[in-house]
Amino acid sequence: MHVYIEDIGKHEGQDVTIKGWLSNRRSSGKIHFLILRDGSGFIQGVMSKATVGEEMFKAADHLSQETSVIVTGTVRADKRAPSGYEIDVTALEVVGESHEFPITPKEHGVDFLLDRRHLWIRTERQTAILRIRHEVINAVRDFFNDRGFILTDTPIFTPSACEGTTTLFPVEYFDDQKAYLTQSGQLYLESTAMALGRVYSFGPTFRAEKSKTRRHLTEFWMVEPEMAYASLDDVMDLAEDMIVSVVSRVLDRRARELKIIERDTSKLESVRKPFPRITYDDAVQMLQEKGLPFEWGGDFGGPDETTLSEQYDRPVMVNRYPAAVKAFYMKPDPQRPELALGVDVLAPEGYGEIIGGGERLADLDLLLQRIKAHDLPQEAFEWYLDLRRYGTVPHGGFGMGIERMVAWLCKLEHVRETIPFPRMLYRLYP
Ligand code: 4AD
Ligand code: MG
């Protein structure tokens, strides 16, 4: 009977067949220890000469890493085995040979691995990370679906900017028209929120920033909720609930993967409500007290965010930034119009921004002023201005980059390992 390694525990004492690949092999005289993987997990197969006979034992002597094999054997519980089980092999069939698989158990440089990303993803650590990514995505979807948010997909070809004109990837559209790859679905979500109340989108997002940091990809996946009749506080409440829900689901369902990557899960267990909410003013003061040369009015850079997020054991929500450093669509604080009602959520352990969002500018005249002040072409935004002409309401939402979330949850050095095929400033292959 063909079974998947992740289900092996249900088959103790039975004869099963595993269809997979040989990840590693050790031999000692009369026994081969075969580390098998099938995508769902890893398990050790023990092949003894006494059981399989001289001929099969000898054939298994030459099997090299990543040979695809179909293995039959008996499932035996073994407390010492990482999966809790081993297989006593009775038969082995080679499906496809593999010679000199480039990624061996020894250490390799990151560029070497990234050039072979299509093979690198077969390793135990990488499969664990990709499974956690899968869990994060599904946890996010379930969170919004369970709360009555409607998934509304936003376009990838867009006619204009949302987050700033310098970070757009242009593409040729028909008849000499220029289109750009989306850098946020937000403006469209504001309109679907006016139609459906609470909405979200989840899709690929493109940023042509020439940033070469551990937090930047040129192509990443963003989930963006948007709510009609919502204030900045409502947006922060939602972000807090979503993060708590995703973290607890990953802890609950991906304990095995977190163990494989050696994540200290006690750090994730402290991610509970309430998250500290501090203003930009407080944050600036905190940086200055730490001796950083930061002046009020600027946007936080990577090192500033790292310092801020190291102060807390859970995500911190920094709100009310200077309007000048934020996008044109943010609502000014009625008490202090030089501030925007925006929030960035910074993940702990130095991870920095994982969420950006806030309350939107709902007033037509003010929005027109902002569009002018930002030198944006009003014609391109007529449809967006219509949302303020026909029954405007306070509203808001946020965007969360899946890769930043996964990098934090897995405590990775760089977001490049959180996505099957990362796209970066100098990386478009494979
Ligand atoms: O802060 P950002 O730019 O906000 C927006 O795009 C809003 N329009 C979202 C909204 O309110 N609907 O991006 C949101 C999040 C960031 O906090 C970060 O997690 C992720 O998207 N992000 C990136 N992730 C990887 N690589 C990049 N270059 C990223 N840029 C942003
Ligand atoms: Mg941001």
Side-chain angles (χ1 to χ4, degrees):
M1 184 187 19
H2 174 213
V3 302
Y4 285 97
I5 294 170
E6 66 183 345
D7 299 324
I8 209 83
K10 298 179 200 150
H11 302 279
E12 192 182 337
Q14 296 174 12
D15 287 337
V16 300
T17 297
I18 288 173
K19 300 183 177 182
W21 294 262
L22 183 69
S23 170
N24 205 348
R25 178 176 57 81
R26 238 171 1 97
S27 296
S28 74
K30 296 187 165 68
I31 298 182
H32 294 313
F33 297 98
L34 310 170
I35 306 294
L36 305 164
R37 63 169 197 91
D38 71 350
S40 77
F42 287 70
I43 195 164
Q44 176 159 277
V46 181
M47 180 191 268
S48 78
K49 197 189 275 187
T51 310
V52 298
E54 193 89 36
E55 200 180 328
M56 189 180 284
F57 191 81
K58 199 144 181 257
D61 228 9
H62 307 286
L63 298 180
S64 52
Q65 196 188 345
E66 287 304 309
T67 300
S68 42
V69 290
I70 296 178
V71 172
T72 300
T74 316
V75 181
R76 173 172 43 78
D78 186 312
K79 284 210 179 64
R80 292 159 308 170
S83 65
Y85 297 91
E86 285 192 346
I87 302 222
D88 288 322
V89 179
T90 52
L92 180 147
E93 176 196 332
V94 170
V95 179
E97 291 182 11
S98 163
H99 299 290
E100 285 168 55
F101 189 71
I103 299 164
T104 59
K106 69 162 201 186
E107 290 272 319
H108 297 285
V110 164
D111 278 322
F112 178 93
L113 291 168
L114 282 171
D115 283 340
R116 294 158 186 82
R117 181 66 176 160
H118 53 297
L119 303 175
W120 185 23
I121 50 177
R122 298 185 185 191
T123 58
E124 189 170 29
R125 182 177 165 81
Q126 296 302 313
T127 58
I129 295 168
L130 292 180
R131 283 170 177 277
I132 290 168
R133 175 190 173 93
H134 164 85
E135 198 65 50
V136 167
I137 291 170
N138 285 297
V140 162
R141 284 185 182 281
D142 287 347
F143 174 84
F144 289 115
N145 293 340
D146 291 348
R147 290 190 169 215
F149 283 67
I150 302 296
L151 177 70
T152 56
D153 302 310
T154 53
I156 289 173
F157 285 140
T158 58
S160 57
C162 172
E163 291 303 313
T165 44
T166 53
T167 60
L168 290 168
F169 280 111
V171 278
E172 297 296 333
Y173 207 62
F174 302 114
D175 303 325
D176 287 336
Q177 272 193 84
K178 265 267 175 309
Y180 301 94
L181 298 180
T182 182
Q183 51 182 190
S184 166
Q186 182 197 317
L187 306 191
Y188 295 98
L189 286 161
E190 289 182 49
S191 71
T192 57
M194 298 307 140
L196 294 150
R198 285 164 302 166
V199 296
Y200 72 104
S201 67
F202 177 65
T205 308
F206 305 88
R207 300 275 168 103
E209 288 159 283
K210 295 208 162 152
S211 307
K212 226 190 135 198
T213 79
R214 64 191 177 100
R215 295 173 179 147
H216 286 88
L217 296 169
T218 52
E219 177 181 314
F220 65 97
W221 286 70
M222 179 152 65
V223 59
E224 296 182 89
E226 190 73 25
M227 302 176 285
Y229 289 101
S231 63
L232 173 64
D233 283 334
D234 296 326
V235 170
M236 291 197 279
D237 291 345
L238 184 73
E240 183 179 59
D241 284 343
M242 184 196 70
I243 292 172
V244 167
S245 161
V246 171
V247 171
S248 71
R249 167 128 158 211
V250 168
L251 280 171
D252 190 37
R253 299 203 191 171
R254 296 293 161 186
R256 187 168 65 93
E257 286 81 359
L258 291 167
K259 195 164 165 218
I260 289 169
I261 62 173
E262 297 176 318
R263 178 61 159 121
D264 175 0
T265 49
S266 68
K267 291 273 197 295
L268 296 176
E269 267 144 24
S270 54
V271 178
R272 298 212 190 89
K273 289 210 284 186
F275 294 174
R277 299 180 183 195
I278 64 171
T279 62
Y280 171 89
D281 290 353
D282 299 335
V284 171
Q285 200 186 338
M286 198 179 282
L287 289 175
Q288 288 170 347
E289 279 164 12
K290 293 266 157 208
L292 273 93
F294 192 88
E295 285 193 33
W296 195 99
D299 203 356
F300 299 130
D304 306 314
E305 285 184 5
T306 302
T307 303
L308 288 171
S309 75
E310 274 167 358
Q311 310 308 310
Y312 302 93
D313 68 342
R314 57 194 79 188
V316 54
M317 307 212 247
V318 185
N319 57 75
R320 295 177 168 79
Y321 284 72
V325 301
K326 290 290 180 189
F328 74 95
Y329 52 69
M330 289 211 182
K331 178 176 173 174
D333 185 344
Q335 262 84 56
R336 283 173 64 191
E338 75 278 17
L339 301 182
L341 294 180
V343 59
D344 277 6
V345 182
L346 312 182
E349 299 178 76
Y351 275 86
E353 181 191 339
I354 52 169
I355 283 181
E359 188 172 337
R360 321 304 186 190
L361 184 41
D363 181 83
L364 178 63
D365 294 330
L366 267 182
L367 184 57
L368 274 166
Q369 280 177 31
R370 301 283 293 169
I371 286 175
K372 283 207 183 73
H374 280 248
D375 250 345
L376 295 166
Q378 190 184 319
E379 332 70 81
F381 291 93
E382 283 302 333
W383 69 273
Y384 184 64
L385 291 161
D386 274 352
L387 307 179
R388 279 71 181 166
R389 293 187 181 111
Y390 303 108
T392 192
V393 300
H395 63 287
F398 64 78
M400 180 181 83
I402 293 293
E403 292 75 16
R404 298 244 184 119
M405 181 76 172
V406 175
W408 163 47
L409 293 181
C410 296
K411 200 158 193 225
L412 304 177
E413 235 171 74
H414 196 294
V415 289
R416 65 192 162 213
E417 282 180 58
T418 64
I419 186 165
F421 295 96
R423 296 289 171 250
M424 294 175 285
L425 187 48
Y426 299 114
R427 170 74 49 193
L428 202 54
Y429 177 91

